[in-house]
Amino acid sequence: MALDLVGKDASGKPTHHAFRTSQGRLVDLGTLGGGYSTAKVINSAGLVAGDTTLADGGFRAFLFDSGMRNLGTLGGNESMAFAVNEKGWVTGAAQLTSGPRHAFRYDGSMHDLGSLGGDFAQGQAINESGQVAGWSTLDPAHNDPVHAFFHDGTSMRDLGVLPNLPWSSATGLNNHGIVVGNVYAEDSEEDYDTHAFVFRDGKMWDLNELIPPSPFKLFTSLSIDDSGRILCTDGQVGQAVANGYLLVPK
């Protein structure tokens, strides 16, 4: 397990450090010189990926095994980690020298995966072959809308959207290259019409149309395993308590 540990240092100053558990003990993962670190994800081998500050205030993605490794950037001043696979490869977003932030894959070195044309792209899932799924802006002049993407190791593909739902974001990816995520429209500044999706066989499918008639609506798909099982919820962050659902293919 990897989480965050909030406390105080010897001088009484508040601290926020990433930690993991080992043999029933909490292990402080420390930082890369700054006062802050946060754990985002952990794999079955106990490798932890997250973000931390440097002594100069810079912000970096890290990978922790026996120590904290600075994953660097794409030439700019910051990077953020969002997913790690069983090999310890990491994806997230990293800044270029020129300022934009692109999705990256780290497999011992940092690789720029690009964007869908905009100035921001973020990897949110990575499988064992290093394929990455996430989201990207489309136009350098605008921060919206964003579209889900799939990067096959060579190029980035726009997964598109569904009718009347102009935004999409990928959140999960299995080793067969099947992607899950959310497609949505902004109803107001505080409310979205959100639908869980799966992208396979070259097409985006609304998961609500692939299940039997139900009294609930699948808002969010979180992950998919290699047997095709999809973890979903019927709620969103900031809304009422949600239920979890595991969709099992026939």
Side-chain angles (χ1 to χ4, degrees), residues 2-4 18-20 29 37-43 46-52 60-65 68-69 71 80-85 88-92 104:
L3 294 168
D4 299 341
F19 78 85
R20 69 180 178 188
L29 305 190
S37 63
T38 181
K40 296 281 189 64
V41 286
I42 186 169
N43 69 11
L47 298 178
V48 179
D51 309 321
T52 183
R60 293 290 187 277
F62 72 78
L63 181 68
F64 188 98
D65 185 1
M68 186 174 284
R69 185 188 314 170
L71 301 191
M80 300 177 291
F82 288 94
V84 61
N85 69 10
W89 295 3
V90 179
T91 190
F104 74 81

PDB file of all heavy atoms in Angstrom, residues 2-4 18-20 29 37-43 46-52 60-65 68-69 71 80-85 88-92 104:
ATOM      1  N   ALA A   2       0.483   2.265  -0.744  1.00  0.00           N
ATOM      2  CA  ALA A   2       1.221   3.535  -0.768  1.00  0.00           C
ATOM      3  C   ALA A   2       0.235   4.675  -0.572  1.00  0.00           C
ATOM      4  O   ALA A   2      -0.765   4.763  -1.255  1.00  0.00           O
ATOM      5  CB  ALA A   2       1.956   3.703  -2.091  1.00  0.00           C
ATOM      6  N   LEU A   3       0.536   5.548   0.375  1.00  0.00           N
ATOM      7  CA  LEU A   3      -0.337   6.661   0.697  1.00  0.00           C
ATOM      8  C   LEU A   3       0.507   7.873   1.049  1.00  0.00           C
ATOM      9  O   LEU A   3       1.701   7.929   0.761  1.00  0.00           O
ATOM     10  CB  LEU A   3      -1.265   6.279   1.867  1.00  0.00           C
ATOM     11  CG  LEU A   3      -2.290   5.166   1.600  1.00  0.00           C
ATOM     12  CD1 LEU A   3      -2.908   4.716   2.908  1.00  0.00           C
ATOM     13  CD2 LEU A   3      -3.367   5.638   0.642  1.00  0.00           C
ATOM     14  N   ASP A   4      -0.103   8.851   1.719  1.00  0.00           N
ATOM     15  CA  ASP A   4       0.593  10.047   2.140  1.00  0.00           C
ATOM     16  C   ASP A   4       0.560  10.148   3.654  1.00  0.00           C
ATOM     17  O   ASP A   4      -0.428   9.804   4.307  1.00  0.00           O
ATOM     18  CB  ASP A   4      -0.056  11.301   1.542  1.00  0.00           C
ATOM     19  CG  ASP A   4      -0.015  11.307   0.017  1.00  0.00           C
ATOM     20  OD1 ASP A   4       0.803  10.565  -0.541  1.00  0.00           O
ATOM     21  OD2 ASP A   4      -0.805  12.033  -0.587  1.00  0.00           O
ATOM     22  N   ALA A  18       5.156  11.019   1.120  1.00  0.00           N
ATOM     23  CA  ALA A  18       4.670   9.725   0.648  1.00  0.00           C
ATOM     24  C   ALA A  18       5.199   8.628   1.568  1.00  0.00           C
ATOM     25  O   ALA A  18       6.296   8.740   2.130  1.00  0.00           O
ATOM     26  CB  ALA A  18       5.147   9.486  -0.779  1.00  0.00           C
ATOM     27  N   PHE A  19       4.425   7.546   1.737  1.00  0.00           N
ATOM     28  CA  PHE A  19       4.924   6.388   2.464  1.00  0.00           C
ATOM     29  C   PHE A  19       4.366   5.118   1.849  1.00  0.00           C
ATOM     30  O   PHE A  19       3.408   5.141   1.076  1.00  0.00           O
ATOM     31  CB  PHE A  19       4.576   6.463   3.952  1.00  0.00           C
ATOM     32  CG  PHE A  19       3.150   6.102   4.294  1.00  0.00           C
ATOM     33  CD1 PHE A  19       2.774   4.781   4.491  1.00  0.00           C
ATOM     34  CD2 PHE A  19       2.183   7.089   4.432  1.00  0.00           C
ATOM     35  CE1 PHE A  19       1.464   4.453   4.811  1.00  0.00           C
ATOM     36  CE2 PHE A  19       0.868   6.762   4.745  1.00  0.00           C
ATOM     37  CZ  PHE A  19       0.516   5.438   4.940  1.00  0.00           C
ATOM     38  N   ARG A  20       4.984   4.008   2.180  1.00  0.00           N
ATOM     39  CA  ARG A  20       4.424   2.698   1.866  1.00  0.00           C
ATOM     40  C   ARG A  20       4.569   1.827   3.107  1.00  0.00           C
ATOM     41  O   ARG A  20       5.356   2.147   4.017  1.00  0.00           O
ATOM     42  CB  ARG A  20       5.125   2.047   0.673  1.00  0.00           C
ATOM     43  CG  ARG A  20       6.550   1.611   0.923  1.00  0.00           C
ATOM     44  CD  ARG A  20       7.172   0.965  -0.307  1.00  0.00           C
ATOM     45  NE  ARG A  20       8.560   0.584  -0.068  1.00  0.00           N
ATOM     46  CZ  ARG A  20       9.387   0.133  -1.008  1.00  0.00           C
ATOM     47  NH1 ARG A  20       8.960   0.039  -2.265  1.00  0.00           N
ATOM     48  NH2 ARG A  20      10.617  -0.197  -0.707  1.00  0.00           N
ATOM     49  N   LEU A  29       8.903   7.657   2.510  1.00  0.00           N
ATOM     50  CA  LEU A  29       9.659   7.649   1.259  1.00  0.00           C
ATOM     51  C   LEU A  29      10.485   8.919   1.069  1.00  0.00           C
ATOM     52  O   LEU A  29      11.294   8.991   0.151  1.00  0.00           O
ATOM     53  CB  LEU A  29       8.706   7.472   0.068  1.00  0.00           C
ATOM     54  CG  LEU A  29       7.796   6.242   0.115  1.00  0.00           C
ATOM     55  CD1 LEU A  29       7.092   6.070  -1.224  1.00  0.00           C
ATOM     56  CD2 LEU A  29       8.567   4.984   0.481  1.00  0.00           C
ATOM     57  N   SER A  37       6.021  15.357  -0.686  1.00  0.00           N
ATOM     58  CA  SER A  37       5.920  14.263  -1.658  1.00  0.00           C
ATOM     59  C   SER A  37       4.565  13.606  -1.485  1.00  0.00           C
ATOM     60  O   SER A  37       3.969  13.640  -0.409  1.00  0.00           O
ATOM     61  CB  SER A  37       7.042  13.234  -1.479  1.00  0.00           C
ATOM     62  OG  SER A  37       6.972  12.600  -0.210  1.00  0.00           O
ATOM     63  N   THR A  38       4.061  13.017  -2.565  1.00  0.00           N
ATOM     64  CA  THR A  38       2.777  12.318  -2.521  1.00  0.00           C
ATOM     65  C   THR A  38       2.869  11.048  -3.353  1.00  0.00           C
ATOM     66  O   THR A  38       3.449  11.053  -4.446  1.00  0.00           O
ATOM     67  CB  THR A  38       1.632  13.216  -3.040  1.00  0.00           C
ATOM     68  OG1 THR A  38       0.395  12.509  -2.959  1.00  0.00           O
ATOM     69  CG2 THR A  38       1.846  13.659  -4.474  1.00  0.00           C
ATOM     70  N   ALA A  39       2.352   9.951  -2.825  1.00  0.00           N
ATOM     71  CA  ALA A  39       2.330   8.679  -3.545  1.00  0.00           C
ATOM     72  C   ALA A  39       1.060   8.594  -4.375  1.00  0.00           C
ATOM     73  O   ALA A  39      -0.033   8.821  -3.861  1.00  0.00           O
ATOM     74  CB  ALA A  39       2.398   7.515  -2.573  1.00  0.00           C
ATOM     75  N   LYS A  40       1.185   8.270  -5.650  1.00  0.00           N
ATOM     76  CA  LYS A  40       0.022   8.161  -6.534  1.00  0.00           C
ATOM     77  C   LYS A  40      -0.388   6.705  -6.750  1.00  0.00           C
ATOM     78  O   LYS A  40      -1.570   6.377  -6.657  1.00  0.00           O
ATOM     79  CB  LYS A  40       0.335   8.800  -7.888  1.00  0.00           C
ATOM     80  CG  LYS A  40       0.612  10.298  -7.858  1.00  0.00           C
ATOM     81  CD  LYS A  40      -0.660  11.094  -7.768  1.00  0.00           C
ATOM     82  CE  LYS A  40      -0.400  12.582  -7.968  1.00  0.00           C
ATOM     83  NZ  LYS A  40       0.116  12.921  -9.299  1.00  0.00           N
ATOM     84  N   VAL A  41       0.585   5.847  -7.061  1.00  0.00           N
ATOM     85  CA  VAL A  41       0.274   4.460  -7.432  1.00  0.00           C
ATOM     86  C   VAL A  41       1.388   3.538  -6.963  1.00  0.00           C
ATOM     87  O   VAL A  41       2.523   3.967  -6.733  1.00  0.00           O
ATOM     88  CB  VAL A  41       0.106   4.310  -8.969  1.00  0.00           C
ATOM     89  CG1 VAL A  41      -1.212   4.892  -9.441  1.00  0.00           C
ATOM     90  CG2 VAL A  41       1.276   4.960  -9.709  1.00  0.00           C
ATOM     91  N   ILE A  42       1.062   2.240  -6.833  1.00  0.00           N
ATOM     92  CA  ILE A  42       2.037   1.226  -6.439  1.00  0.00           C
ATOM     93  C   ILE A  42       1.754  -0.047  -7.226  1.00  0.00           C
ATOM     94  O   ILE A  42       0.595  -0.375  -7.498  1.00  0.00           O
ATOM     95  CB  ILE A  42       1.970   0.967  -4.920  1.00  0.00           C
ATOM     96  CG1 ILE A  42       3.085   0.006  -4.472  1.00  0.00           C
ATOM     97  CG2 ILE A  42       0.607   0.459  -4.498  1.00  0.00           C
ATOM     98  CD1 ILE A  42       3.229  -0.078  -2.962  1.00  0.00           C
ATOM     99  N   ASN A  43       2.813  -0.772  -7.632  1.00  0.00           N
ATOM    100  CA  ASN A  43       2.591  -2.033  -8.336  1.00  0.00           C
ATOM    101  C   ASN A  43       2.765  -3.209  -7.384  1.00  0.00           C
ATOM    102  O   ASN A  43       3.049  -3.029  -6.189  1.00  0.00           O
ATOM    103  CB  ASN A  43       3.472  -2.146  -9.589  1.00  0.00           C
ATOM    104  CG  ASN A  43       4.956  -2.303  -9.281  1.00  0.00           C
ATOM    105  OD1 ASN A  43       5.354  -2.534  -8.134  1.00  0.00           O
ATOM    106  ND2 ASN A  43       5.776  -2.181 -10.298  1.00  0.00           N
ATOM    107  N   GLY A  46       5.804  -3.496  -5.188  1.00  0.00           N
ATOM    108  CA  GLY A  46       6.042  -2.457  -4.194  1.00  0.00           C
ATOM    109  C   GLY A  46       6.702  -1.208  -4.727  1.00  0.00           C
ATOM    110  O   GLY A  46       7.078  -0.325  -3.946  1.00  0.00           O
ATOM    111  N   LEU A  47       6.847  -1.102  -6.056  1.00  0.00           N
ATOM    112  CA  LEU A  47       7.395   0.118  -6.637  1.00  0.00           C
ATOM    113  C   LEU A  47       6.332   1.209  -6.595  1.00  0.00           C
ATOM    114  O   LEU A  47       5.197   0.990  -7.024  1.00  0.00           O
ATOM    115  CB  LEU A  47       7.832  -0.115  -8.079  1.00  0.00           C
ATOM    116  CG  LEU A  47       8.940  -1.139  -8.308  1.00  0.00           C
ATOM    117  CD1 LEU A  47       9.220  -1.284  -9.803  1.00  0.00           C
ATOM    118  CD2 LEU A  47      10.207  -0.742  -7.573  1.00  0.00           C
ATOM    119  N   VAL A  48       6.694   2.367  -6.095  1.00  0.00           N
ATOM    120  CA  VAL A  48       5.763   3.470  -5.898  1.00  0.00           C
ATOM    121  C   VAL A  48       6.102   4.609  -6.848  1.00  0.00           C
ATOM    122  O   VAL A  48       7.274   4.973  -7.004  1.00  0.00           O
ATOM    123  CB  VAL A  48       5.824   4.000  -4.454  1.00  0.00           C
ATOM    124  CG1 VAL A  48       4.862   5.172  -4.260  1.00  0.00           C
ATOM    125  CG2 VAL A  48       5.517   2.886  -3.462  1.00  0.00           C
ATOM    126  N   ALA A  49       5.102   5.172  -7.494  1.00  0.00           N
ATOM    127  CA  ALA A  49       5.291   6.369  -8.323  1.00  0.00           C
ATOM    128  C   ALA A  49       4.454   7.495  -7.740  1.00  0.00           C
ATOM    129  O   ALA A  49       3.361   7.278  -7.212  1.00  0.00           O
ATOM    130  CB  ALA A  49       4.884   6.107  -9.777  1.00  0.00           C
ATOM    131  N   GLY A  50       4.985   8.693  -7.838  1.00  0.00           N
ATOM    132  CA  GLY A  50       4.287   9.859  -7.314  1.00  0.00           C
ATOM    133  C   GLY A  50       5.020  11.132  -7.677  1.00  0.00           C
ATOM    134  O   GLY A  50       5.799  11.159  -8.640  1.00  0.00           O
ATOM    135  N   ASP A  51       4.803  12.167  -6.886  1.00  0.00           N
ATOM    136  CA  ASP A  51       5.373  13.481  -7.162  1.00  0.00           C
ATOM    137  C   ASP A  51       6.044  14.026  -5.908  1.00  0.00           C
ATOM    138  O   ASP A  51       5.636  13.718  -4.784  1.00  0.00           O
ATOM    139  CB  ASP A  51       4.293  14.472  -7.603  1.00  0.00           C
ATOM    140  CG  ASP A  51       3.418  13.935  -8.730  1.00  0.00           C
ATOM    141  OD1 ASP A  51       3.965  13.269  -9.621  1.00  0.00           O
ATOM    142  OD2 ASP A  51       2.199  14.173  -8.689  1.00  0.00           O
ATOM    143  N   THR A  52       7.058  14.858  -6.096  1.00  0.00           N
ATOM    144  CA  THR A  52       7.770  15.445  -4.978  1.00  0.00           C
ATOM    145  C   THR A  52       8.369  16.783  -5.375  1.00  0.00           C
ATOM    146  O   THR A  52       8.516  17.076  -6.559  1.00  0.00           O
ATOM    147  CB  THR A  52       8.889  14.505  -4.486  1.00  0.00           C
ATOM    148  OG1 THR A  52       9.530  15.068  -3.332  1.00  0.00           O
ATOM    149  CG2 THR A  52       9.937  14.280  -5.565  1.00  0.00           C
ATOM    150  N   ARG A  60       8.738  17.218  -9.367  1.00  0.00           N
ATOM    151  CA  ARG A  60       9.176  16.089 -10.178  1.00  0.00           C
ATOM    152  C   ARG A  60       8.378  14.827  -9.901  1.00  0.00           C
ATOM    153  O   ARG A  60       8.016  14.531  -8.756  1.00  0.00           O
ATOM    154  CB  ARG A  60      10.653  15.771  -9.901  1.00  0.00           C
ATOM    155  CG  ARG A  60      11.637  16.829 -10.339  1.00  0.00           C
ATOM    156  CD  ARG A  60      11.749  16.917 -11.852  1.00  0.00           C
ATOM    157  NE  ARG A  60      12.813  17.813 -12.231  1.00  0.00           N
ATOM    158  CZ  ARG A  60      12.715  19.131 -12.310  1.00  0.00           C
ATOM    159  NH1 ARG A  60      11.553  19.702 -12.031  1.00  0.00           N
ATOM    160  NH2 ARG A  60      13.737  19.878 -12.660  1.00  0.00           N
ATOM    161  N   ALA A  61       8.155  14.058 -10.963  1.00  0.00           N
ATOM    162  CA  ALA A  61       7.679  12.693 -10.815  1.00  0.00           C
ATOM    163  C   ALA A  61       8.808  11.850 -10.246  1.00  0.00           C
ATOM    164  O   ALA A  61       9.986  12.064 -10.555  1.00  0.00           O
ATOM    165  CB  ALA A  61       7.241  12.142 -12.167  1.00  0.00           C
ATOM    166  N   PHE A  62       8.445  10.868  -9.396  1.00  0.00           N
ATOM    167  CA  PHE A  62       9.467   9.977  -8.857  1.00  0.00           C
ATOM    168  C   PHE A  62       9.016   8.525  -8.959  1.00  0.00           C
ATOM    169  O   PHE A  62       7.826   8.217  -9.085  1.00  0.00           O
ATOM    170  CB  PHE A  62       9.796  10.314  -7.401  1.00  0.00           C
ATOM    171  CG  PHE A  62       8.732   9.939  -6.393  1.00  0.00           C
ATOM    172  CD1 PHE A  62       8.577   8.618  -5.958  1.00  0.00           C
ATOM    173  CD2 PHE A  62       7.873  10.898  -5.867  1.00  0.00           C
ATOM    174  CE1 PHE A  62       7.610   8.272  -5.029  1.00  0.00           C
ATOM    175  CE2 PHE A  62       6.896  10.550  -4.937  1.00  0.00           C
ATOM    176  CZ  PHE A  62       6.763   9.230  -4.522  1.00  0.00           C
ATOM    177  N   LEU A  63      10.005   7.628  -8.903  1.00  0.00           N
ATOM    178  CA  LEU A  63       9.781   6.196  -8.759  1.00  0.00           C
ATOM    179  C   LEU A  63      10.605   5.747  -7.568  1.00  0.00           C
ATOM    180  O   LEU A  63      11.804   6.040  -7.495  1.00  0.00           O
ATOM    181  CB  LEU A  63      10.208   5.447 -10.019  1.00  0.00           C
ATOM    182  CG  LEU A  63       9.998   3.928  -9.989  1.00  0.00           C
ATOM    183  CD1 LEU A  63       8.507   3.590  -9.987  1.00  0.00           C
ATOM    184  CD2 LEU A  63      10.674   3.266 -11.182  1.00  0.00           C
ATOM    185  N   PHE A  64       9.960   5.052  -6.630  1.00  0.00           N
ATOM    186  CA  PHE A  64      10.645   4.618  -5.415  1.00  0.00           C
ATOM    187  C   PHE A  64      10.727   3.106  -5.367  1.00  0.00           C
ATOM    188  O   PHE A  64       9.719   2.417  -5.448  1.00  0.00           O
ATOM    189  CB  PHE A  64       9.920   5.130  -4.167  1.00  0.00           C
ATOM    190  CG  PHE A  64      10.681   4.883  -2.887  1.00  0.00           C
ATOM    191  CD1 PHE A  64      11.448   5.881  -2.329  1.00  0.00           C
ATOM    192  CD2 PHE A  64      10.630   3.651  -2.256  1.00  0.00           C
ATOM    193  CE1 PHE A  64      12.160   5.659  -1.147  1.00  0.00           C
ATOM    194  CE2 PHE A  64      11.343   3.408  -1.085  1.00  0.00           C
ATOM    195  CZ  PHE A  64      12.105   4.420  -0.536  1.00  0.00           C
ATOM    196  N   ASP A  65      11.961   2.587  -5.221  1.00  0.00           N
ATOM    197  CA  ASP A  65      12.185   1.174  -4.938  1.00  0.00           C
ATOM    198  C   ASP A  65      12.922   1.115  -3.612  1.00  0.00           C
ATOM    199  O   ASP A  65      12.330   1.194  -2.554  1.00  0.00           O
ATOM    200  CB  ASP A  65      12.958   0.512  -6.062  1.00  0.00           C
ATOM    201  CG  ASP A  65      13.112  -0.996  -5.856  1.00  0.00           C
ATOM    202  OD1 ASP A  65      12.599  -1.510  -4.851  1.00  0.00           O
ATOM    203  OD2 ASP A  65      13.752  -1.658  -6.683  1.00  0.00           O
ATOM    204  N   MET A  68      14.369   6.961  -3.733  1.00  0.00           N
ATOM    205  CA  MET A  68      13.536   7.788  -4.595  1.00  0.00           C
ATOM    206  C   MET A  68      14.328   8.237  -5.814  1.00  0.00           C
ATOM    207  O   MET A  68      15.374   8.867  -5.687  1.00  0.00           O
ATOM    208  CB  MET A  68      13.013   9.005  -3.826  1.00  0.00           C
ATOM    209  CG  MET A  68      12.025   9.845  -4.601  1.00  0.00           C
ATOM    210  SD  MET A  68      11.287  11.182  -3.618  1.00  0.00           S
ATOM    211  CE  MET A  68      10.112  10.261  -2.616  1.00  0.00           C
ATOM    212  N   ARG A  69      13.812   7.908  -7.002  1.00  0.00           N
ATOM    213  CA  ARG A  69      14.463   8.255  -8.265  1.00  0.00           C
ATOM    214  C   ARG A  69      13.741   9.406  -8.945  1.00  0.00           C
ATOM    215  O   ARG A  69      12.529   9.368  -9.154  1.00  0.00           O
ATOM    216  CB  ARG A  69      14.454   7.040  -9.202  1.00  0.00           C
ATOM    217  CG  ARG A  69      15.205   7.242 -10.519  1.00  0.00           C
ATOM    218  CD  ARG A  69      14.985   6.075 -11.455  1.00  0.00           C
ATOM    219  NE  ARG A  69      15.131   4.792 -10.793  1.00  0.00           N
ATOM    220  CZ  ARG A  69      14.792   3.632 -11.349  1.00  0.00           C
ATOM    221  NH1 ARG A  69      14.265   3.608 -12.578  1.00  0.00           N
ATOM    222  NH2 ARG A  69      14.960   2.506 -10.691  1.00  0.00           N
ATOM    223  N   LEU A  71      12.534  11.238 -11.976  1.00  0.00           N
ATOM    224  CA  LEU A  71      12.301  10.839 -13.363  1.00  0.00           C
ATOM    225  C   LEU A  71      12.592  11.949 -14.358  1.00  0.00           C
ATOM    226  O   LEU A  71      12.560  11.725 -15.560  1.00  0.00           O
ATOM    227  CB  LEU A  71      10.844  10.370 -13.533  1.00  0.00           C
ATOM    228  CG  LEU A  71      10.419   9.191 -12.648  1.00  0.00           C
ATOM    229  CD1 LEU A  71       9.073   8.660 -13.110  1.00  0.00           C
ATOM    230  CD2 LEU A  71      11.465   8.086 -12.633  1.00  0.00           C
ATOM    231  N   MET A  80       4.806  15.078 -13.529  1.00  0.00           N
ATOM    232  CA  MET A  80       3.865  14.451 -12.602  1.00  0.00           C
ATOM    233  C   MET A  80       3.636  13.015 -13.054  1.00  0.00           C
ATOM    234  O   MET A  80       3.471  12.756 -14.243  1.00  0.00           O
ATOM    235  CB  MET A  80       2.529  15.203 -12.585  1.00  0.00           C
ATOM    236  CG  MET A  80       2.624  16.651 -12.167  1.00  0.00           C
ATOM    237  SD  MET A  80       1.010  17.495 -12.263  1.00  0.00           S
ATOM    238  CE  MET A  80       0.775  17.531 -14.040  1.00  0.00           C
ATOM    239  N   ALA A  81       3.597  12.084 -12.098  1.00  0.00           N
ATOM    240  CA  ALA A  81       3.356  10.671 -12.397  1.00  0.00           C
ATOM    241  C   ALA A  81       1.916  10.306 -12.077  1.00  0.00           C
ATOM    242  O   ALA A  81       1.356  10.786 -11.094  1.00  0.00           O
ATOM    243  CB  ALA A  81       4.304   9.801 -11.585  1.00  0.00           C
ATOM    244  N   PHE A  82       1.328   9.426 -12.911  1.00  0.00           N
ATOM    245  CA  PHE A  82      -0.049   9.011 -12.677  1.00  0.00           C
ATOM    246  C   PHE A  82      -0.254   7.500 -12.736  1.00  0.00           C
ATOM    247  O   PHE A  82      -1.270   7.017 -12.246  1.00  0.00           O
ATOM    248  CB  PHE A  82      -0.987   9.692 -13.680  1.00  0.00           C
ATOM    249  CG  PHE A  82      -1.179  11.144 -13.409  1.00  0.00           C
ATOM    250  CD1 PHE A  82      -0.396  12.092 -14.052  1.00  0.00           C
ATOM    251  CD2 PHE A  82      -2.114  11.587 -12.486  1.00  0.00           C
ATOM    252  CE1 PHE A  82      -0.542  13.439 -13.792  1.00  0.00           C
ATOM    253  CE2 PHE A  82      -2.269  12.935 -12.211  1.00  0.00           C
ATOM    254  CZ  PHE A  82      -1.482  13.868 -12.864  1.00  0.00           C
ATOM    255  N   ALA A  83       0.660   6.746 -13.324  1.00  0.00           N
ATOM    256  CA  ALA A  83       0.465   5.297 -13.409  1.00  0.00           C
ATOM    257  C   ALA A  83       1.821   4.604 -13.523  1.00  0.00           C
ATOM    258  O   ALA A  83       2.785   5.180 -14.043  1.00  0.00           O
ATOM    259  CB  ALA A  83      -0.407   4.940 -14.614  1.00  0.00           C
ATOM    260  N   VAL A  84       1.882   3.359 -13.039  1.00  0.00           N
ATOM    261  CA  VAL A  84       3.090   2.544 -13.134  1.00  0.00           C
ATOM    262  C   VAL A  84       2.676   1.124 -13.501  1.00  0.00           C
ATOM    263  O   VAL A  84       1.632   0.636 -13.047  1.00  0.00           O
ATOM    264  CB  VAL A  84       3.884   2.562 -11.806  1.00  0.00           C
ATOM    265  CG1 VAL A  84       3.065   1.985 -10.656  1.00  0.00           C
ATOM    266  CG2 VAL A  84       5.224   1.836 -11.943  1.00  0.00           C
ATOM    267  N   ASN A  85       3.466   0.457 -14.344  1.00  0.00           N
ATOM    268  CA  ASN A  85       3.157  -0.933 -14.671  1.00  0.00           C
ATOM    269  C   ASN A  85       4.037  -1.877 -13.857  1.00  0.00           C
ATOM    270  O   ASN A  85       4.822  -1.447 -12.998  1.00  0.00           O
ATOM    271  CB  ASN A  85       3.246  -1.184 -16.188  1.00  0.00           C
ATOM    272  CG  ASN A  85       4.673  -1.115 -16.738  1.00  0.00           C
ATOM    273  OD1 ASN A  85       5.657  -1.052 -15.981  1.00  0.00           O
ATOM    274  ND2 ASN A  85       4.802  -1.121 -18.047  1.00  0.00           N
ATOM    275  N   GLY A  88       7.762  -1.344 -13.726  1.00  0.00           N
ATOM    276  CA  GLY A  88       8.245  -0.109 -13.144  1.00  0.00           C
ATOM    277  C   GLY A  88       8.301   1.036 -14.129  1.00  0.00           C
ATOM    278  O   GLY A  88       8.931   2.062 -13.857  1.00  0.00           O
ATOM    279  N   TRP A  89       7.635   0.887 -15.281  1.00  0.00           N
ATOM    280  CA  TRP A  89       7.545   1.989 -16.244  1.00  0.00           C
ATOM    281  C   TRP A  89       6.415   2.915 -15.813  1.00  0.00           C
ATOM    282  O   TRP A  89       5.371   2.455 -15.345  1.00  0.00           O
ATOM    283  CB  TRP A  89       7.273   1.451 -17.646  1.00  0.00           C
ATOM    284  CG  TRP A  89       8.381   0.618 -18.214  1.00  0.00           C
ATOM    285  CD1 TRP A  89       9.548   0.263 -17.604  1.00  0.00           C
ATOM    286  CD2 TRP A  89       8.407   0.016 -19.508  1.00  0.00           C
ATOM    287  NE1 TRP A  89      10.294  -0.529 -18.438  1.00  0.00           N
ATOM    288  CE2 TRP A  89       9.626  -0.692 -19.620  1.00  0.00           C
ATOM    289  CE3 TRP A  89       7.525  -0.002 -20.577  1.00  0.00           C
ATOM    290  CZ2 TRP A  89       9.977  -1.390 -20.757  1.00  0.00           C
ATOM    291  CZ3 TRP A  89       7.878  -0.706 -21.727  1.00  0.00           C
ATOM    292  CH2 TRP A  89       9.093  -1.391 -21.819  1.00  0.00           C
ATOM    293  N   VAL A  90       6.632   4.190 -15.996  1.00  0.00           N
ATOM    294  CA  VAL A  90       5.730   5.209 -15.461  1.00  0.00           C
ATOM    295  C   VAL A  90       5.206   6.088 -16.589  1.00  0.00           C
ATOM    296  O   VAL A  90       5.910   6.347 -17.573  1.00  0.00           O
ATOM    297  CB  VAL A  90       6.468   6.083 -14.428  1.00  0.00           C
ATOM    298  CG1 VAL A  90       5.558   7.178 -13.870  1.00  0.00           C
ATOM    299  CG2 VAL A  90       7.022   5.218 -13.296  1.00  0.00           C
ATOM    300  N   THR A  91       3.969   6.572 -16.443  1.00  0.00           N
ATOM    301  CA  THR A  91       3.452   7.583 -17.353  1.00  0.00           C
ATOM    302  C   THR A  91       2.833   8.715 -16.561  1.00  0.00           C
ATOM    303  O   THR A  91       2.476   8.558 -15.392  1.00  0.00           O
ATOM    304  CB  THR A  91       2.422   7.004 -18.336  1.00  0.00           C
ATOM    305  OG1 THR A  91       2.128   7.977 -19.347  1.00  0.00           O
ATOM    306  CG2 THR A  91       1.128   6.610 -17.637  1.00  0.00           C
ATOM    307  N   GLY A  92       2.718   9.868 -17.205  1.00  0.00           N
ATOM    308  CA  GLY A  92       2.161  11.056 -16.579  1.00  0.00           C
ATOM    309  C   GLY A  92       2.258  12.225 -17.532  1.00  0.00           C
ATOM    310  O   GLY A  92       2.046  12.070 -18.740  1.00  0.00           O
ATOM    311  N   PHE A 104       4.146  11.462 -21.099  1.00  0.00           N
ATOM    312  CA  PHE A 104       5.443  10.808 -21.207  1.00  0.00           C
ATOM    313  C   PHE A 104       5.339   9.337 -20.832  1.00  0.00           C
ATOM    314  O   PHE A 104       4.403   8.902 -20.163  1.00  0.00           O
ATOM    315  CB  PHE A 104       6.497  11.498 -20.328  1.00  0.00           C
ATOM    316  CG  PHE A 104       6.342  11.241 -18.841  1.00  0.00           C
ATOM    317  CD1 PHE A 104       6.819  10.073 -18.250  1.00  0.00           C
ATOM    318  CD2 PHE A 104       5.721  12.170 -18.017  1.00  0.00           C
ATOM    319  CE1 PHE A 104       6.684   9.839 -16.884  1.00  0.00           C
ATOM    320  CE2 PHE A 104       5.568  11.945 -16.650  1.00  0.00           C
ATOM    321  CZ  PHE A 104       6.053  10.769 -16.086  1.00  0.00           C
TER     322      PHE A 104
END
